[in-house]
Each structure stands twice: as C-alpha cells, then as structure tokens.
Amino acid sequence: MQSVETITALRAQVKAWRDHKYTVAFVPTMGNLHEGHLSLVKKASELADKVVVSIFVNPLQFDDKEDLSAYPRTVKADIQMLSSVGCDVIFTPSVDTMYPKGMTSHTHISVPDMDDKLCGLRRPGHFDGVATVVTKLLNIVQADIAVFGEKDYQQLLLIKHLVRDLNLPIDIVGGPTFRDESGLAMSSRNQYLSEKQRKQAAGLHQTLLAVKQNIERGEQDFSALQQDACNKLKLLGLAAEYVDIRRANDLGQAISGDKDLRILAAVRLGKARLIDNIACHLA
Ligand code: PAF
C-alpha cells in the first residue's frame, strides 16, 4: 500500500493502472476510520481491481469552527487499518493542495434540491462544502466507481444528483450502515460520547425501527409518527433536531401511498450531533 500527498503523484499512479487496464474504485473519507469505513473499502475492493482511499478533513464543510479543530485526526492509525482491507493507495492532500488560493474565492458546487431539507436546513453551507470537495476529489482521482456510506443518506443522494447533473463519468455506490451490537451506527462522532451516552444513543436506531414497524402495520399519519418519535427520543435524553419520513429516491415529503421510504433523524447528545436513517419498503 502506497501513501501519496500530491495530485500529480496520485494521477501518475492511476494512469499506470489504466495503462494495465485495471479498474479503479475510490472511497473518500475524513479519516478517523472505523469498521464502517473499512466495510466501504472492502466493498470497493470487490468492485474494482485497485482502490484509492482519500483522507482529508475538509474545512469547507464544517459549519462550526470548533467542530473543525476538535475533529479527530488519526492518520497513522488510519493507515494501519487500511493496510489490511484491500486499499492500494491512500491520498492525503493538505488543505493547501486542495485549496491553494484559499476557500473564499474558490468555485462552489451547490445541489439545490438537497440544501433545503433535513441536515441541509440545520447546517448552512455544509452540503456546498461536501459537494465542492467531492467534485474535486472525483476529478482528481478519476475512478470508475466511488463508494459512500448509506449512514449519510442525504450526502449519498446529493452526490448521486451532482454526478447526474454534471455528467461525471463515474458510478456512485452506497454501502450499508455498519452498527455495533446495540444498533448504534458507527460514526467518528461517537467518540464524543461517554459510556453512558453511548447506551442512550442506541435509542436512536430503536426509535427509527419502531417508526418503521408502525408504517409497516399500516399507520399512514406520518406527521403524528414523527412527532411521537421526537417525544420518545426526548424521554431517552436525545434532543431530536428532526425525525422525518421521506421518499427514498429524492427525499421529498412522503405521503400516504408512497412505497419506497427512508426514515431519517438527527439528534443532539452532549457534544455530539448524531444522524441515522433506515429504509422502509412497502409491498
Ligand atoms: O462523509 C465524509 O466523510 C465526508 O463528507 C466526505 C464525503 C469524505 C467529503 O469530505
């Protein structure tokens, strides 16, 4: 496994692979890797001959400066973890490499239909930051496939939309959310939780499962289900930003009769903002 920091070195490696007719998959990350990331890298290595993983804590997508400086950076441990799961090249660009003229006057990519809902509403500028850095990374790596976690479902759809709208020649693939035995979705932000809070946080997934069961039993009043779930989360000590039942393909407001749904939530617990979502398909 090789580690490269510059765009030139990365492109030279990808070109050498292309000359050998190898296919390439790409997994963008912000580091501080856990089992969830590793499962995406394993998936990437099943889908292509060579795998690039990027580690870049993208300042442009942090709406809160504190959060950016506190974001855990564990590159040495990340590199060790990646060596066992089929990663061929780790790309670790600096902020200067990605934004040589700074970020204020940098071209921004915006995906309007994802900005105005759910996490987009609560984190102004966040998805522009994600869309901008992902567009850059996809152009830098020029892989055949890129893998993103379903844990960040809105982000996954945003990237599918931008790839469609900008005609980028790449397939975007989602990888399932990796959970611990309590059901808590793996996230770098779980590190901000104490042992007690981790146990509380498991209530998020349980609450989403209960919403799903109610829908599957025929409950059609989505707004009542959402409100009820927020109340339950509050009793568990989880401050809900939202619990929302949406159409899975575009995150539009779901209405009675829609079959392919996604139930999404964001909560605050101590220093952490946690998000989760599950699928709900009706026959
Ligand atoms: O999901 C993440 O870790 C980040 O948002 C991503 C896609 C690597 C862009 O910085």
Side-chain angles (χ1 to χ4, degrees), residues 3-18:
S3 187
V4 302
E5 288 174 16
T6 66
I7 295 172
T8 315
L10 180 74
R11 285 215 166 127
Q13 179 57 81
V14 173
K15 182 178 180 312
W17 289 336
R18 293 273 178 228

Side-chain angles (χ1 to χ4, degrees), residues 85-151:
V85 284
C87 170
D88 296 284
V89 166
I90 307 175
F91 178 48
T92 54
S94 65
V95 173
D96 253 11
T97 298
M98 293 300 285
Y99 302 110
K101 295 201 177 348
M103 285 173 286
T104 334
S105 61
H106 195 283
T107 301
H108 276 222
I109 305 286
S110 226
V111 184
D113 60 349
M114 285 292 140
D115 265 0
D116 58 352
K117 51 177 80 84
L118 307 169
C119 289
L121 271 184
R122 277 98 185 168
R123 302 188 66 191
H126 167 70
F127 281 130
D128 278 11
V130 171
T132 302
V133 83
V134 169
T135 306
K136 286 169 74 70
L137 287 167
L138 296 183
N139 280 330
I140 290 167
V141 181
Q142 302 193 3
D144 303 284
I145 297 165
V147 185
F148 292 83
E150 285 179 2
K151 151 92 181 1

Side-chain angles (χ1 to χ4, degrees), residues 254-273:
I255 49 165
S256 161
D258 283 336
K259 302 276 182 225
D260 194 12
L261 304 171
R262 203 87 193 178
I263 309 163
L264 308 100
V267 298
R268 293 218 173 244
L269 174 60
K271 277 189 280 173
R273 180 179 189 274

Side-chain angles (χ1 to χ4, degrees), residues 106-210:
H106 195 283
T107 301
H108 276 222
I109 305 286
S110 226
V111 184
D113 60 349
M114 285 292 140
D115 265 0
D116 58 352
K117 51 177 80 84
L118 307 169
C119 289
L121 271 184
R122 277 98 185 168
R123 302 188 66 191
H126 167 70
F127 281 130
D128 278 11
V130 171
T132 302
V133 83
V134 169
T135 306
K136 286 169 74 70
L137 287 167
L138 296 183
N139 280 330
I140 290 167
V141 181
Q142 302 193 3
D144 303 284
I145 297 165
V147 185
F148 292 83
E150 285 179 2
K151 151 92 181 1
D152 297 300
Y153 190 77
Q154 191 173 4
Q155 171 175 282
L156 172 64
L157 278 197
L158 168 112
I159 290 156
K160 284 188 172 170
H161 286 201
L162 89 79
V163 160
R164 177 201 64 198
D165 291 351
L166 300 179
N167 308 94
L168 301 183
I170 187 160
D171 283 339
I172 302 300
V173 175
T177 302
F178 204 89
R179 301 181 183 279
D180 71 12
E181 53 300 334
S182 75
L184 176 64
M186 293 276 177
S187 162
S188 301
R189 288 183 168 86
N190 293 351
Q191 285 182 26
Y192 303 140
L193 303 175
S194 65
E195 240 351 273
K196 183 173 168 243
Q197 288 172 328
R198 263 189 104 94
K199 288 193 182 124
Q200 273 175 282
L204 175 55
H205 185 230
Q206 302 310 325
T207 306
L208 294 184
L209 287 175

